[in-house]
Amino acid sequence: MSNLQVRTDLALEAKESIADADDKMSGVHMEEYYMEEEDIHVTKVVIESRNAARMMGKPMGRYVTMEAPALVEPDDDYHREISECLAEILLDIIPDSGTEQSILVVGLGNREVTADALGPHVVDNLFITRHVVKTYGKAAYNCSHMNLVSSIEPGVMAKTGMETAEIVKGVVSETEPDTVIVIDALAARSTRRLNRTIQITDTGIQPGSGVGNHRNALTMESLGVPVIAIGVPTVVDAATIVSDAMDKILEGKCERVEYLGQFRSSFAELNNMYMTGKDIDSVIKRVSFTISEGINIAMDRAAGQMGE
């Protein structure tokens, strides 16, 4: 299905899609490692040139992808090992993470649409400190160093009548955070990465990008402060699934190749349909808690490093 444009929000998959054409594409640096005990595969993709960014369809910057198959499995500890790995990556990617900062966490998405409710659910489980420190000082937590964490769930434009970027810009202007962390659901190219992958990037994000509904971007350029985006692919383009299935049939030299080929022109109608898992409700609850714990651990460790 070469004539079908398959989309993905994962930089790793974008790199894989052009690997066959140019395996040594200049302007892209990639490294990976495997954490055997935790069963986490980490891949770092750095897009260093405008030409590479254009070819991959992604902004210049760093993209760190955690692939953790166990993320979809029930765990009484909500996968603490994954949260700790996420915390270490966040501390590495947040600018000046070793200094005291004000951090604003933005939970994007629609709480009433389960596959799009990742951001709001992450915000629900965060350890929010800004209001307490502003009122009572750091002594309220019996410490001398800590980050001020605040959060917002801006909702969707159909309910608010405002662009998400407009709301976040207003909050950033009023509260003046040092860094913004944005959480959103994404779309994957491969079903094997569905709900099993976490992408962290310093390039910001476009709200609604997971389903191709691009809104104004939340980036360093638009907000004036560094924007770290954390995303989990919760949906796959329906056309992608059908495309892959059809290609396998055609490669198998099915007797009805000509008949199946007639359907190629109709796949464009599937571009507005997205598929998710049947257990998405429990997955979102579990994955969102894992991410919120990762952020909480990162903030706690950063405070500990300040006191050393």
Side-chain angles (χ1 to χ4, degrees):
M1 290 292 305
S2 58
N3 61 334
L4 178 67
Q5 183 178 4
V6 178
R7 59 179 307 279
T8 177
D9 294 314
L10 300 177
L12 173 59
E13 291 186 331
K15 177 66 171 65
E16 290 174 346
S17 68
I18 61 175
D20 293 338
D22 190 357
D23 191 38
K24 297 181 180 180
M25 184 178 64
S26 61
V28 177
H29 174 70
M30 182 173 171
E31 61 179 271
E32 54 187 326
Y33 59 90
Y34 177 64
M35 302 171 64
E36 185 174 359
E37 184 175 346
E38 295 84 0
D39 191 22
I40 301 174
H41 186 250
V42 180
T43 305
K44 298 181 180 180
V45 177
V46 182
I47 304 178
E48 302 171 328
S49 70
R50 289 189 176 89
N51 182 57
R54 179 183 57 80
M55 292 182 64
M56 292 183 60
K58 306 293 177 187
M60 293 171 57
R62 290 181 290 171
Y63 300 82
V64 183
T65 304
M66 297 170 52
E67 296 179 78
L71 193 57
V72 296
E73 300 174 1
D75 182 0
D76 291 339
D77 292 328
Y78 283 94
H79 300 293
R80 175 83 177 187
E81 70 283 357
I82 299 176
S83 297
E84 298 209 2
C85 179
L86 174 60
E88 290 301 318
I89 293 172
L90 279 174
L91 289 175
D92 179 62
I93 207 168
I94 293 176
D96 302 320
S97 61
T99 61
E100 198 169 73
Q101 296 191 48
S102 175
I103 306 291
L104 171 64
V105 182
V106 181
L108 300 179
N110 188 343
R111 188 180 287 271
E112 297 182 6
V113 179
T114 308
D116 193 35
L118 178 69
H121 280 280
V122 169
V123 166
D124 288 345
N125 296 298
L126 289 176
F127 182 44
I128 304 299
T129 60
R130 183 179 182 274
H131 62 305
V132 175
V133 174
K134 286 286 186 180
T135 304
Y136 303 106
K138 300 183 186 68
Y141 294 106
N142 193 30
C143 63
S144 57
H145 301 279
M146 71 180 307
N147 289 316
L148 277 63
V149 181
S150 56
S151 69
I152 181 174
E153 178 190 334
V156 293
M157 191 166 64
K159 284 188 173 182
T160 65
M162 295 177 285
E163 287 274 3
T164 299
E166 294 176 328
I167 298 174
V168 176
K169 282 181 182 178
V171 174
V172 169
S173 176
E174 185 66 25
T175 62
E176 299 182 342
D178 298 299
T179 302
V180 173
I181 299 177
V182 183
I183 319 292
D184 199 11
L186 306 176
R189 166 66 178 84
S190 171
T191 54
R192 69 182 177 85
R193 290 194 170 102
L194 202 64
N195 304 318
R196 296 173 172 84
T197 305
I198 301 175
Q199 176 177 268
I200 308 98
T201 175
D202 60 2
T203 64
I205 200 169
Q206 281 189 316
S209 62
V211 292
N213 183 25
H214 297 285
R215 313 307 310 178
N216 292 341
L218 300 176
T219 63
M220 172 73 173
E221 291 71 27
S222 64
L223 298 182
V225 296
V227 179
I228 309 300
I230 303 175
V232 174
T234 60
V235 296
V236 176
D237 192 340
T240 299
I241 299 176
V242 177
S243 168
D244 291 346
M246 290 291 289
D247 282 343
K248 288 182 180 179
I249 294 175
L250 294 174
E251 288 173 4
K253 297 181 180 180
C254 176
E255 295 179 359
R256 299 188 178 184
V257 168
E258 294 182 1
Y259 175 73
L260 293 172
Q262 295 175 5
F263 290 95
R264 290 183 180 273
S265 60
S266 65
F267 287 158
E269 298 177 4
L270 297 175
N271 282 338
N272 289 324
M273 297 181 63
Y274 294 84
M275 311 292 288
T276 190
K278 63 181 180 180
D279 57 345
I280 187 62
D281 51 348
S282 60
V283 168
I284 287 294
K285 180 180 179 181
R286 182 163 52 251
V287 173
S288 63
F289 193 90
T290 300
I291 293 176
S292 63
E293 280 297 282
I295 297 174
N296 290 337
I297 293 171
M299 296 299 99
D300 183 61
R301 288 183 180 175
Q305 292 173 3
M306 297 173 209
E308 294 179 355

